[in-house]
Amino acid sequence: MRVVLEILDGPLAGRTVELAPGESVSVGRTAKSQLMLPHDNFLSGLHFLVEHTPDGVILRDCNSSNGTWVNGDRVNERPVGEGDQISAGQTRFRLYSEAADEADRRSSTVLFAVPKFQEQTGVHSIESLTFAPEQQRVLDYLRQLTMPLYAVLNAGIEQHVPHFLMGSGEPFQFLSEGLAIEQMQPPPVYLAQFTPSSSLLPRLIKEGWGKPWITFFTSLHPVPELTTHLRNLMVVATPDGRPFYNRFYDPRLLQLLLPSYTPQEVSQLFGPLLTLVIADPSDASRLLEFAMTPQGPAGRALALR
């Protein structure tokens, strides 16, 4: 017997997740969760977990800010069963069971489904995008790079970043998970990875080139190493030991601070990164590329007009 968790509200209404015995699914607003609902701002990043155990289905609240409710009662952990309604954030879910042969006959269910970006926002498909000449030249330049290409994306500035990522099918990481300074929440920052035929890259160029929420970089190192390096850069300390969030991924700060860095500071910033590519914050018709040399950061500007 399989258990089905159905979403009842919002742009994902009608989508379902099937759980066979021994399987579980986490639900929340960010990539901390397997089932991600970024449109619901009242969900926690990791809100609740549903687990199909040998003894039945168990729901656990994951220390969410606004709580998890079953049939109107707030719960921390409890068994859930046929027809129970779960409320979290502004979204309701329904739990029901079905035989395996029923699931095999049903063709409308998609596991961990998310709508394409155009379904959520009404924007046109990638094929119908039109680019300004500068945007097309940036796209051509990035596509011709022989080294693997990545981007750091700040969803604190552009709230559609999670939608861009989920709708693309490209691999990505939520860099801010678990980072905290006292009561200060970390900025929601993501690492995006591009394949040669990426549909995400043109979308980001169209929506983000010249804006302060996107920074590209190249690297030959594996993604886990890149993730560790970038997360280590996100929280740093002042000379007297006070921690703060380091916005190293902001093009405006990069342009100002890189020329003043010592070789040691540049080495610490770059680590496994080979080059940094950003739009000139004062003139989006110029592409700025930085690399580390023994003498310090070396940069060049490319005119896009």
Side-chain angles (χ1 to χ4, degrees), residues 11 83 88 101 116 121 129 135 146 164 170 189 200-201 208 237 274 291 295:
D101 60 342
K116 295 180 180 179
T121 63
L129 288 177
Q135 293 173 331
T146 58
F164 294 141
E170 300 287 353
V189 179
L200 177 61
L201 182 58
L274 292 173
Q295 291 74 38

Side-chain angles (χ1 to χ4, degrees), residues 210 212 250-256 278-284 286 288:
D250 189 323
R252 298 166 296 188
L253 291 180
L254 278 175
Q255 185 194 33
L256 290 174
I278 61 174
D280 186 331
S282 60
D283 183 0
R286 295 203 321 159
L288 303 181

Side-chain angles (χ1 to χ4, degrees), residues 178-250:
L179 299 180
I181 298 175
E182 297 178 349
Q183 301 302 315
M184 296 172 58
Q185 291 298 314
V189 179
Y190 293 81
L191 169 65
Q193 181 181 359
F194 304 103
T195 57
S197 59
S198 172
S199 63
L200 177 61
L201 182 58
R203 169 67 66 196
L204 294 178
I205 294 298
K206 176 65 177 178
E207 305 292 341
W209 183 252
K211 298 177 182 178
W213 54 267
I214 182 168
T215 295
F216 295 99
F217 70 88
T218 62
S219 178
L220 296 173
H221 290 252
V223 171
E225 184 176 338
L226 295 175
T227 300
T228 299
H229 174 70
L230 296 172
R231 282 172 54 83
N232 287 339
L233 290 177
M234 289 185 66
V235 178
V236 295
T238 62
D240 60 358
R242 290 179 297 173
F244 67 95
Y245 292 121
N246 176 28
R247 292 187 293 129
F248 66 92
Y249 44 80
D250 189 323

Side-chain angles (χ1 to χ4, degrees), residues 117-118 122-132 135-136 139 143 199 202-203 206-207:
F117 181 72
Q118 51 264 39
V123 302
H124 299 294
S125 65
I126 293 294
E127 291 75 13
S128 65
L129 288 177
T130 57
F131 296 93
Q135 293 173 331
Q136 186 62 56
L139 184 58
R143 280 177 167 169
S199 63
R203 169 67 66 196
K206 176 65 177 178
E207 305 292 341

Side-chain angles (χ1 to χ4, degrees), residues 23-261:
E23 294 182 337
S24 63
V25 61
S26 56
V27 182
R29 182 174 48 81
T30 72
K32 297 178 182 179
S33 305
Q34 294 166 292
L35 182 57
M36 181 177 171
L37 287 75
H39 60 276
D40 189 340
N41 291 327
F42 288 85
L43 282 174
S44 295
L46 176 61
H47 200 104
F48 69 89
L49 175 79
V50 176
E51 183 177 6
H52 193 178
T53 74
D55 298 323
V57 182
I58 303 296
L59 180 142
R60 297 184 180 89
D61 179 78
C62 298
N63 197 28
S64 64
S65 297
N66 295 317
T68 303
W69 308 72
V70 176
N71 301 330
D73 297 323
R74 185 166 183 169
V75 300
N76 290 319
E77 179 177 330
R78 61 160 280 180
V80 287
E82 189 73 25
D84 281 342
Q85 283 202 9
I86 303 165
S87 298
Q90 294 183 318
T91 306
R92 292 174 303 132
F93 306 80
R94 182 170 69 96
L95 195 75
Y96 61 92
S97 58
E98 62 182 12
D101 60 342
E102 292 178 307
D104 293 339
R105 291 196 301 269
R106 177 165 40 79
S107 60
S108 60
T109 295
V110 182
L111 183 63
F112 300 153
V114 295
K116 295 180 180 179
F117 181 72
Q118 51 264 39
E119 293 177 10
Q120 301 171 23
T121 63
V123 302
H124 299 294
S125 65
I126 293 294
E127 291 75 13
S128 65
L129 288 177
T130 57
F131 296 93
E134 295 87 350
Q135 293 173 331
Q136 186 62 56
R137 291 189 181 97
V138 171
L139 184 58
D140 294 341
Y141 178 81
L142 294 176
R143 280 177 167 169
Q144 60 84 34
L145 294 174
T146 58
M147 298 168 289
L149 180 67
Y150 303 85
V152 180
L153 310 171
N154 185 357
I157 295 178
E158 174 49 72
Q159 62 179 350
H160 287 129
V161 162
H163 300 278
F164 294 141
L165 295 170
M166 290 190 308
S168 71
E170 300 287 353
F172 65 92
Q173 299 280 333
F174 183 63
L175 294 176
S176 306
E177 182 176 1
L179 299 180
I181 298 175
E182 297 178 349
Q183 301 302 315
M184 296 172 58
Q185 291 298 314
V189 179
Y190 293 81
L191 169 65
Q193 181 181 359
F194 304 103
T195 57
S197 59
S198 172
S199 63
L200 177 61
L201 182 58
R203 169 67 66 196
L204 294 178
I205 294 298
K206 176 65 177 178
E207 305 292 341
W209 183 252
K211 298 177 182 178
W213 54 267
I214 182 168
T215 295
F216 295 99
F217 70 88
T218 62
S219 178
L220 296 173
H221 290 252
V223 171
E225 184 176 338
L226 295 175
T227 300
T228 299
H229 174 70
L230 296 172
R231 282 172 54 83
N232 287 339
L233 290 177
M234 289 185 66
V235 178
V236 295
T238 62
D240 60 358
R242 290 179 297 173
F244 67 95
Y245 292 121
N246 176 28
R247 292 187 293 129
F248 66 92
Y249 44 80
D250 189 323
R252 298 166 296 188
L253 291 180
L254 278 175
Q255 185 194 33
L256 290 174
L257 296 179
L258 265 176
S260 66
Y261 277 3

